[in-house]
Amino acid sequence: MTEQNFIPKPFAKTVENGSYTWSSPSNIALVKYWGKKEDQIPENPSISFTLNNCKTTTTLSFVKKKTTNDFSFDVFLDGEKKDDFKPKIATFFKRIEIYLPFLKDYHFKIETSNTFPHSSGIASSASGMSALALCLMSVEKEFLEDISEDYFNQKASFLARLGSGSACRSIEGDLIVWGTHKEINKSSNLFGIKYPFSVHENFKHYQDTILLVDKGEKQVSSTVGHNLMHKHPFAERRFEQAHENMSKLISIFETGDLDAFIKIVESEALTLHAMMMTSMPYFILMKPNTLEIINKIWTYRAQTNSKICFTLDAGANVHVLYPENEKESVVEFIKNELVAFCQNEHYISDQIGFGANQIQL
Ligand code: PMV
Protein backbone atom coordinates (compact mmCIF):
# COMPACT_ATOMS: atom_id res chain seq x y z
CA MET A 1 0.00 0.00 0.00
CA THR A 2 1.24 3.48 -0.87
CA GLU A 3 -0.31 6.93 -0.74
CA GLN A 4 -1.31 6.45 -4.40
CA ASN A 5 -3.85 3.80 -3.38
CA PHE A 6 -5.87 6.47 -1.62
CA ILE A 7 -6.26 8.79 -4.61
CA PRO A 8 -9.72 7.97 -5.94
CA LYS A 9 -10.62 7.42 -9.56
CA PRO A 10 -12.68 10.24 -11.14
CA PHE A 11 -16.19 10.33 -9.72
CA ALA A 12 -18.99 9.31 -12.05
CA LYS A 13 -21.77 11.05 -10.14
CA THR A 14 -22.36 14.26 -8.25
CA VAL A 15 -24.26 15.05 -5.05
CA GLU A 16 -25.93 18.36 -4.10
CA ASN A 17 -25.95 18.10 -0.32
CA GLY A 18 -26.08 15.70 2.61
CA SER A 19 -25.16 15.07 6.21
CA TYR A 20 -23.38 12.31 8.12
CA THR A 21 -22.74 11.71 11.81
CA TRP A 22 -20.04 9.52 13.34
CA SER A 23 -19.00 8.89 16.88
CA SER A 24 -15.36 7.94 17.39
CA PRO A 25 -13.27 7.17 20.47
CA SER A 26 -10.06 8.43 21.98
CA ASN A 27 -7.16 6.03 22.54
CA ILE A 28 -4.30 5.64 25.00
CA ALA A 29 -0.91 4.54 23.72
CA LEU A 30 1.05 1.78 25.46
CA VAL A 31 4.10 2.17 23.23
CA LYS A 32 4.18 5.88 22.46
CA TYR A 33 4.39 7.71 19.17
CA TRP A 34 6.72 10.66 19.72
CA GLY A 35 8.62 11.97 16.74
CA LYS A 36 7.60 12.14 13.11
CA LYS A 37 8.98 12.65 9.62
CA GLU A 38 7.41 14.64 6.77
CA ASP A 39 3.72 13.92 6.05
CA GLN A 40 2.93 12.57 9.49
CA ILE A 41 5.06 9.47 9.09
CA PRO A 42 5.91 8.17 12.57
CA GLU A 43 9.53 7.64 13.58
CA ASN A 44 8.55 4.47 15.43
CA PRO A 45 5.64 2.05 15.71
CA SER A 46 3.06 2.57 18.47
CA ILE A 47 0.21 0.55 19.92
CA SER A 48 -2.87 1.74 21.78
CA PHE A 49 -5.94 0.64 23.64
CA THR A 50 -9.13 2.17 22.30
CA LEU A 51 -11.25 3.82 24.99
CA ASN A 52 -14.91 3.08 25.30
CA ASN A 53 -16.36 6.19 26.90
CA CYS A 54 -14.19 9.13 25.80
CA LYS A 55 -15.66 9.91 22.40
CA THR A 56 -16.30 12.69 19.94
CA THR A 57 -19.50 12.83 17.93
CA THR A 58 -19.33 14.85 14.74
CA THR A 59 -21.99 15.76 12.21
CA LEU A 60 -20.71 16.87 8.84
CA SER A 61 -23.27 18.63 6.65
CA PHE A 62 -22.37 19.71 3.13
CA VAL A 63 -23.92 21.86 0.41
CA LYS A 64 -22.56 22.27 -3.12
CA LYS A 65 -21.08 25.74 -3.76
CA LYS A 66 -20.97 27.79 -6.95
CA THR A 67 -17.22 28.44 -6.81
CA THR A 68 -14.51 25.89 -6.16
CA ASN A 69 -11.52 28.13 -5.52
CA ASP A 70 -11.05 27.53 -1.79
CA PHE A 71 -12.14 25.51 1.24
CA SER A 72 -15.26 26.72 2.94
CA PHE A 73 -16.37 25.44 6.34
CA ASP A 74 -17.62 26.41 9.79
CA VAL A 75 -16.91 24.56 13.02
CA PHE A 76 -19.13 24.33 16.10
CA LEU A 77 -18.36 22.77 19.48
CA ASP A 78 -21.48 22.04 21.55
CA GLY A 79 -23.42 24.41 19.31
CA GLU A 80 -20.97 27.28 19.70
CA LYS A 81 -19.04 28.57 16.69
CA LYS A 82 -15.34 27.91 17.11
CA ASP A 83 -13.27 29.94 14.70
CA ASP A 84 -10.12 29.09 16.66
CA PHE A 85 -10.50 25.45 15.51
CA LYS A 86 -10.42 26.51 11.87
CA PRO A 87 -6.66 26.75 11.18
CA LYS A 88 -6.11 23.12 12.25
CA ILE A 89 -8.96 21.93 10.04
CA ALA A 90 -7.77 24.10 7.13
CA THR A 91 -4.33 22.45 7.40
CA PHE A 92 -6.02 19.05 7.52
CA PHE A 93 -8.11 19.85 4.41
CA LYS A 94 -5.01 21.03 2.55
CA ARG A 95 -3.17 17.83 3.38
CA ILE A 96 -6.02 15.54 2.32
CA GLU A 97 -7.34 17.44 -0.70
CA ILE A 98 -5.44 15.21 -3.13
CA TYR A 99 -7.17 12.16 -1.60
CA LEU A 100 -10.63 13.77 -1.42
CA PRO A 101 -10.81 15.95 -4.56
CA PHE A 102 -14.37 17.12 -3.79
CA LEU A 103 -13.36 19.19 -0.75
CA LYS A 104 -13.44 22.57 -2.53
CA ASP A 105 -16.80 21.83 -4.16
CA TYR A 106 -18.81 22.09 -0.94
CA HIS A 107 -19.44 24.30 2.03
CA PHE A 108 -19.13 22.11 5.15
CA LYS A 109 -20.68 22.57 8.56
CA ILE A 110 -18.79 20.59 11.20
CA GLU A 111 -20.73 20.17 14.45
CA THR A 112 -18.89 18.37 17.15
CA SER A 113 -19.25 17.43 20.81
CA ASN A 114 -17.20 15.36 23.23
CA THR A 115 -18.35 13.01 25.98
CA PHE A 116 -15.52 14.43 28.09
CA PRO A 117 -15.13 18.13 28.95
CA HIS A 118 -13.13 20.06 26.35
CA SER A 119 -11.08 21.68 29.09
CA SER A 120 -10.21 18.37 30.78
CA GLY A 121 -6.72 18.21 29.33
CA ILE A 122 -7.76 15.02 27.51
CA ALA A 123 -6.62 15.35 23.94
CA SER A 124 -9.67 15.46 21.70
CA SER A 125 -7.58 15.38 18.52
CA ALA A 126 -7.61 11.56 18.20
CA SER A 127 -11.36 11.21 18.61
CA GLY A 128 -12.09 14.50 16.81
CA MET A 129 -9.96 13.89 13.73
CA SER A 130 -11.06 10.26 13.43
CA ALA A 131 -14.75 11.22 13.65
CA LEU A 132 -14.23 13.88 10.96
CA ALA A 133 -12.29 11.45 8.74
CA LEU A 134 -15.12 8.90 9.03
CA CYS A 135 -17.68 11.57 8.05
CA LEU A 136 -15.55 12.53 5.04
CA MET A 137 -15.33 8.89 3.99
CA SER A 138 -19.13 8.68 4.13
CA VAL A 139 -19.20 11.61 1.69
CA GLU A 140 -16.72 9.87 -0.60
CA LYS A 141 -18.89 6.76 -0.48
CA GLU A 142 -21.70 8.79 -2.04
CA PHE A 143 -19.51 9.18 -5.13
CA LEU A 144 -17.99 5.71 -5.12
CA GLU A 145 -20.68 3.39 -3.91
CA ASP A 146 -18.69 0.22 -4.42
CA ILE A 147 -15.93 0.88 -1.87
CA SER A 148 -15.44 -2.01 0.55
CA GLU A 149 -15.69 -1.71 4.32
CA ASP A 150 -11.98 -2.54 4.61
CA TYR A 151 -11.00 0.22 2.20
CA PHE A 152 -13.40 2.62 3.94
CA ASN A 153 -11.77 2.02 7.34
CA GLN A 154 -8.24 1.97 6.00
CA LYS A 155 -8.67 5.24 4.18
CA ALA A 156 -10.46 6.78 7.18
CA SER A 157 -7.41 5.86 9.28
CA PHE A 158 -5.06 7.16 6.57
CA LEU A 159 -6.92 10.51 6.48
CA ALA A 160 -7.21 10.74 10.28
CA ARG A 161 -3.42 10.32 10.49
CA LEU A 162 -3.01 13.43 8.36
CA GLY A 163 -5.16 15.35 10.87
CA SER A 164 -3.42 14.08 14.00
CA GLY A 165 -1.08 11.08 14.01
CA SER A 166 -2.61 9.23 16.94
CA ALA A 167 -6.11 9.66 15.41
CA CYS A 168 -5.32 6.89 12.91
CA ARG A 169 -5.45 4.48 15.87
CA SER A 170 -9.11 5.37 16.60
CA ILE A 171 -10.86 3.93 13.58
CA GLU A 172 -11.28 0.22 14.08
CA GLY A 173 -11.00 -2.25 16.95
CA ASP A 174 -9.72 -2.17 20.47
CA LEU A 175 -5.98 -2.73 20.21
CA ILE A 176 -4.35 -0.88 17.34
CA VAL A 177 -0.88 -0.79 15.84
CA TRP A 178 0.41 2.09 13.75
CA GLY A 179 3.86 2.16 12.18
CA THR A 180 5.83 -0.59 10.53
CA HIS A 181 7.23 -3.29 12.76
CA LYS A 182 9.13 -6.29 11.43
CA GLU A 183 7.09 -8.85 13.38
CA ILE A 184 3.71 -7.39 12.47
CA ASN A 185 3.19 -8.27 8.88
CA LYS A 186 0.64 -5.76 7.68
CA SER A 187 1.70 -2.90 9.93
CA SER A 188 1.99 0.39 8.09
CA ASN A 189 3.24 3.93 8.61
CA LEU A 190 0.23 5.14 6.63
CA PHE A 191 -2.67 3.86 8.77
CA GLY A 192 -3.50 1.90 11.89
CA ILE A 193 -4.35 -1.79 11.80
CA LYS A 194 -6.08 -4.06 14.28
CA TYR A 195 -3.51 -5.91 16.36
CA PRO A 196 -3.35 -9.21 14.49
CA PHE A 197 -2.16 -11.68 17.18
CA SER A 198 -3.76 -13.36 20.14
CA VAL A 199 -4.58 -11.34 23.25
CA HIS A 200 -4.85 -13.06 26.63
CA GLU A 201 -8.06 -12.89 28.69
CA ASN A 202 -6.22 -10.74 31.26
CA PHE A 203 -6.42 -7.80 28.87
CA LYS A 204 -10.12 -8.07 28.09
CA HIS A 205 -12.09 -5.04 29.30
CA TYR A 206 -8.92 -3.53 30.76
CA GLN A 207 -9.84 -0.53 32.90
CA ASP A 208 -8.57 3.03 32.51
CA THR A 209 -9.38 5.70 35.09
CA ILE A 210 -8.15 9.08 33.90
CA LEU A 211 -7.09 11.31 36.76
CA LEU A 212 -7.41 14.94 35.75
CA VAL A 213 -4.46 16.53 37.51
CA ASP A 214 -4.34 19.59 35.30
CA LYS A 215 -7.20 20.62 33.07
CA GLY A 216 -5.37 23.53 31.48
CA GLU A 217 -4.37 23.95 27.88
CA LYS A 218 -1.44 21.82 26.80
CA GLN A 219 1.88 23.47 27.67
CA VAL A 220 3.51 22.03 24.55
CA SER A 221 1.44 21.28 21.45
CA SER A 222 2.10 17.85 19.99
CA THR A 223 3.38 19.44 16.78
CA VAL A 224 6.06 21.27 18.77
CA GLY A 225 6.71 18.14 20.83
CA HIS A 226 7.21 15.85 17.83
CA ASN A 227 9.57 18.39 16.28
CA LEU A 228 11.69 18.38 19.41
CA MET A 229 12.72 14.84 18.46
CA HIS A 230 14.59 16.21 15.45
CA LYS A 231 18.23 16.50 16.45
CA HIS A 232 17.34 15.15 19.91
CA PRO A 233 20.45 13.56 21.46
CA PHE A 234 18.62 10.35 22.40
CA ALA A 235 16.20 10.10 19.47
CA GLU A 236 17.71 7.20 17.54
CA ARG A 237 18.03 4.99 20.61
CA ARG A 238 14.49 5.88 21.66
CA PHE A 239 13.07 4.87 18.28
CA GLU A 240 14.90 1.53 18.51
CA GLN A 241 13.58 1.02 22.02
CA ALA A 242 9.99 1.46 20.80
CA HIS A 243 10.58 -1.37 18.29
CA GLU A 244 11.98 -3.56 21.06
CA ASN A 245 9.06 -2.80 23.37
CA MET A 246 6.58 -3.68 20.62
CA SER A 247 8.31 -7.06 20.22
CA LYS A 248 8.13 -7.68 23.96
CA LEU A 249 4.43 -6.75 24.04
CA ILE A 250 3.63 -9.37 21.41
CA SER A 251 4.60 -12.17 23.78
CA ILE A 252 3.10 -10.37 26.78
CA PHE A 253 -0.27 -10.12 25.05
CA GLU A 254 -0.05 -13.80 24.23
CA THR A 255 0.89 -15.05 27.71
CA GLY A 256 -0.99 -12.47 29.79
CA ASP A 257 2.14 -11.61 31.82
CA LEU A 258 0.87 -8.54 33.67
CA ASP A 259 4.11 -7.85 35.54
CA ALA A 260 5.99 -7.62 32.26
CA PHE A 261 3.14 -5.49 30.81
CA ILE A 262 3.45 -3.02 33.69
CA LYS A 263 7.19 -2.63 33.14
CA ILE A 264 6.80 -1.77 29.47
CA VAL A 265 3.83 0.56 29.92
CA GLU A 266 5.28 2.59 32.79
CA SER A 267 8.70 2.75 31.17
CA GLU A 268 7.14 4.01 27.93
CA ALA A 269 5.26 6.75 29.80
CA LEU A 270 8.36 7.89 31.65
CA THR A 271 10.46 7.71 28.49
CA LEU A 272 8.01 9.98 26.68
CA HIS A 273 8.42 12.53 29.47
CA ALA A 274 12.17 11.95 29.61
CA MET A 275 12.34 12.86 25.92
CA MET A 276 10.64 16.16 26.71
CA MET A 277 12.86 16.85 29.67
CA THR A 278 15.99 16.26 27.58
CA SER A 279 15.02 18.17 24.44
CA MET A 280 16.08 21.72 23.61
CA PRO A 281 14.09 23.63 24.73
CA TYR A 282 13.18 21.28 27.61
CA PHE A 283 9.84 20.87 29.37
CA ILE A 284 8.50 19.25 32.49
CA LEU A 285 4.88 18.36 31.81
CA MET A 286 4.28 16.43 35.03
CA LYS A 287 2.98 18.35 38.03
CA PRO A 288 3.76 17.61 41.68
CA ASN A 289 0.44 15.75 41.93
CA THR A 290 1.36 13.56 38.94
CA LEU A 291 4.35 12.32 40.97
CA GLU A 292 2.26 11.96 44.13
CA ILE A 293 -0.13 9.70 42.22
CA ILE A 294 2.68 7.63 40.68
CA ASN A 295 4.24 7.08 44.09
CA LYS A 296 0.89 6.12 45.63
CA ILE A 297 0.34 3.61 42.81
CA TRP A 298 3.76 2.07 43.40
CA THR A 299 3.17 1.79 47.16
CA TYR A 300 -0.27 0.25 46.67
CA ARG A 301 1.15 -2.25 44.18
CA ALA A 302 3.93 -3.25 46.56
CA GLN A 303 1.51 -3.66 49.45
CA THR A 304 -1.29 -5.51 47.70
CA ASN A 305 0.28 -7.30 44.76
CA SER A 306 -2.21 -5.49 42.54
CA LYS A 307 -1.49 -5.28 38.80
CA ILE A 308 -2.37 -1.58 38.71
CA CYS A 309 -0.08 0.66 36.66
CA PHE A 310 -0.04 4.09 35.06
CA THR A 311 0.60 5.71 31.75
CA LEU A 312 0.82 9.35 30.71
CA ASP A 313 0.04 11.47 27.68
CA ALA A 314 2.00 14.58 26.85
CA GLY A 315 0.59 16.29 29.94
CA ALA A 316 0.11 16.01 33.69
CA ASN A 317 -2.97 13.75 33.75
CA VAL A 318 -2.51 10.13 34.77
CA HIS A 319 -4.18 7.13 33.14
CA VAL A 320 -4.53 4.41 35.76
CA LEU A 321 -4.68 1.01 34.05
CA TYR A 322 -5.82 -2.20 35.78
CA PRO A 323 -7.40 -5.55 34.95
CA GLU A 324 -11.16 -5.85 35.16
CA ASN A 325 -11.05 -8.38 38.00
CA GLU A 326 -9.50 -5.73 40.26
CA LYS A 327 -12.09 -3.10 39.45
CA GLU A 328 -13.77 -2.98 42.85
CA SER A 329 -10.61 -2.76 44.96
CA VAL A 330 -8.76 -0.36 42.66
CA VAL A 331 -11.73 2.01 42.35
CA GLU A 332 -11.89 2.08 46.14
CA PHE A 333 -8.15 2.88 46.26
CA ILE A 334 -8.52 5.60 43.62
CA LYS A 335 -11.39 7.23 45.52
CA ASN A 336 -9.66 7.02 48.88
CA GLU A 337 -6.13 7.93 47.92
CA LEU A 338 -5.77 9.38 44.43
CA VAL A 339 -8.77 11.57 43.72
CA ALA A 340 -7.53 14.15 46.23
CA PHE A 341 -4.66 14.91 43.81
CA CYS A 342 -7.00 15.69 40.91
CA GLN A 343 -8.11 19.18 40.00
CA ASN A 344 -11.57 19.60 41.56
CA GLU A 345 -11.41 15.86 42.37
CA HIS A 346 -12.24 15.23 38.75
CA TYR A 347 -11.66 11.86 37.11
CA ILE A 348 -13.14 9.84 34.25
CA SER A 349 -13.80 6.10 34.37
CA ASP A 350 -13.23 4.31 31.13
CA GLN A 351 -12.40 0.87 29.85
CA ILE A 352 -10.96 -0.62 26.73
CA GLY A 353 -13.68 -0.85 24.13
CA PHE A 354 -14.19 -4.25 22.58
CA GLY A 355 -16.46 -3.56 19.68
CA ALA A 356 -18.76 -0.70 20.38
CA ASN A 357 -16.33 2.01 19.32
CA GLN A 358 -16.95 3.72 16.07
CA ILE A 359 -20.60 4.18 15.30
CA GLN A 360 -22.30 5.82 12.39
CA LEU A 361 -25.36 7.60 13.76
O1 PMV B 1 -1.46 12.59 17.61
P1 PMV B 1 -0.55 13.60 18.18
O2 PMV B 1 0.28 14.30 17.16
O3 PMV B 1 -1.32 14.57 19.07
O4 PMV B 1 0.52 12.85 19.13
C1 PMV B 1 0.15 12.20 20.30
C2 PMV B 1 1.33 11.65 20.98
C3 PMV B 1 1.08 10.99 22.33
O5 PMV B 1 -0.26 11.09 22.74
C4 PMV B 1 1.93 11.67 23.40
C5 PMV B 1 1.50 9.52 22.28
C6 PMV B 1 0.62 8.63 21.46
O6 PMV B 1 1.16 7.70 20.85
O7 PMV B 1 -0.62 8.81 21.48
Side-chain angles (χ1 to χ4, degrees), residues 192-339:
I193 61 159
K194 282 198 221 172
Y195 178 73
F197 305 130
S198 73
V199 179
H200 193 276
E201 274 293 307
N202 283 352
F203 298 103
K204 295 269 146 80
H205 306 293
Y206 223 71
Q207 303 292 304
D208 181 0
T209 301
I210 309 162
L211 303 178
L212 305 177
V213 173
D214 181 17
K215 302 196 215 163
E217 280 288 304
K218 276 194 189 174
Q219 214 187 100
V220 184
S221 75
S222 24
T223 311
V224 171
H226 290 293
N227 284 336
L228 291 174
M229 290 306 278
H230 295 138
K231 302 204 182 101
H232 190 292
F234 308 132
E236 285 316 310
R237 185 63 194 101
R238 157 59 196 154
F239 301 144
E240 279 168 25
Q241 180 203 36
H243 281 268
E244 292 156 13
N245 284 343
M246 287 288 288
S247 296
K248 289 183 190 154
L249 273 184
I250 293 173
S251 58
I252 291 169
F253 279 129
E254 168 109 46
T255 58
D257 183 344
L258 292 174
D259 293 319
F261 177 77
I262 290 169
K263 283 191 187 134
I264 302 278
V265 168
E266 292 190 345
S267 161
E268 276 288 324
L270 295 177
T271 300
L272 169 70
H273 282 252
M275 289 300 112
M276 283 179 250
M277 288 192 230
T278 50
S279 58
M280 194 55 77
Y282 39 80
F283 296 93
I284 301 181
L285 301 185
M286 287 189 253
K287 298 281 181 205
N289 282 350
T290 312
L291 290 175
E292 293 282 2
I293 289 168
I294 291 173
N295 279 310
K296 287 268 179 198
I297 288 174
W298 284 347
T299 307
Y300 177 79
R301 198 161 71 213
Q303 285 169 349
T304 63
N305 211 19
S306 161
K307 303 302 177 198
I308 188 175
C309 71
F310 71 87
T311 188
L312 306 165
D313 267 336
N317 296 335
V318 182
H319 287 249
V320 186
L321 300 177
Y322 47 101
E324 196 187 23
N325 65 8
E326 286 191 35
K327 190 169 170 180
E328 221 171 290
S329 49
V330 172
V331 167
E332 202 52 30
F333 161 66
I334 291 173
K335 282 191 188 149
N336 292 339
E337 298 205 36
L338 303 186
V339 162

Side-chain angles (χ1 to χ4, degrees), residues 28-236:
I28 179 70
L30 304 170
V31 172
K32 307 288 180 183
Y33 150 59
W34 198 242
K36 61 179 173 185
K37 302 184 183 121
E38 281 280 287
D39 299 327
Q40 306 271 101
I41 297 299
E43 290 277 13
N44 63 261
S46 57
I47 185 163
S48 56
F49 276 149
T50 306
L51 298 178
N52 204 43
N53 302 337
C54 291
K55 291 185 176 183
T56 296
T57 300
T58 296
T59 297
L60 180 73
S61 315
F62 53 101
V63 186
K64 193 137 192 180
K65 325 187 250 133
K66 291 210 170 65
T67 56
T68 60
N69 49 347
D70 209 352
F71 302 119
S72 168
F73 63 90
D74 287 309
V75 197
F76 298 81
L77 174 68
D78 298 326
E80 205 181 299
K81 201 154 182 266
K82 282 278 178 190
D83 285 343
D84 49 326
F85 285 13
K86 288 181 90 169
K88 192 160 185 190
I89 293 175
T91 305
F92 177 48
F93 276 10
K94 246 178 251 152
R95 283 188 193 149
I96 62 173
E97 189 190 1
I98 167 170
Y99 308 108
L100 296 177
F102 56 82
L103 282 181
K104 283 186 178 154
D105 299 343
Y106 294 92
H107 173 76
F108 293 97
K109 185 177 180 193
I110 303 165
E111 293 167 283
T112 186
S113 64
N114 298 321
T115 57
F116 48 92
H118 182 64
S119 59
S120 62
I122 296 186
S124 55
S125 61
S127 51
M129 284 299 177
S130 55
L132 183 55
L134 286 160
C135 289
L136 289 166
M137 281 309 295
S138 287
V139 182
E140 179 170 279
K141 204 164 185 253
E142 291 247 10
F143 301 111
L144 298 171
E145 282 158 357
D146 59 344
I147 56 181
S148 69
E149 200 182 322
D150 278 353
Y151 180 82
F152 185 99
N153 285 331
Q154 206 167 65
K155 185 163 173 182
S157 175
F158 173 86
L159 296 174
R161 184 193 103 245
L162 292 166
S164 173
S166 60
C168 78
R169 298 189 312 239
S170 279
I171 297 295
E172 217 191 345
D174 37 48
L175 186 55
I176 308 294
V177 176
W178 168 41
T180 48
H181 185 271
K182 64 177 189 317
E183 286 165 66
I184 305 176
N185 225 339
K186 295 199 167 135
S187 56
S188 170
N189 284 339
L190 299 181
F191 46 79
I193 61 159
K194 282 198 221 172
Y195 178 73
F197 305 130
S198 73
V199 179
H200 193 276
E201 274 293 307
N202 283 352
F203 298 103
K204 295 269 146 80
H205 306 293
Y206 223 71
Q207 303 292 304
D208 181 0
T209 301
I210 309 162
L211 303 178
L212 305 177
V213 173
D214 181 17
K215 302 196 215 163
E217 280 288 304
K218 276 194 189 174
Q219 214 187 100
V220 184
S221 75
S222 24
T223 311
V224 171
H226 290 293
N227 284 336
L228 291 174
M229 290 306 278
H230 295 138
K231 302 204 182 101
H232 190 292
F234 308 132
E236 285 316 310

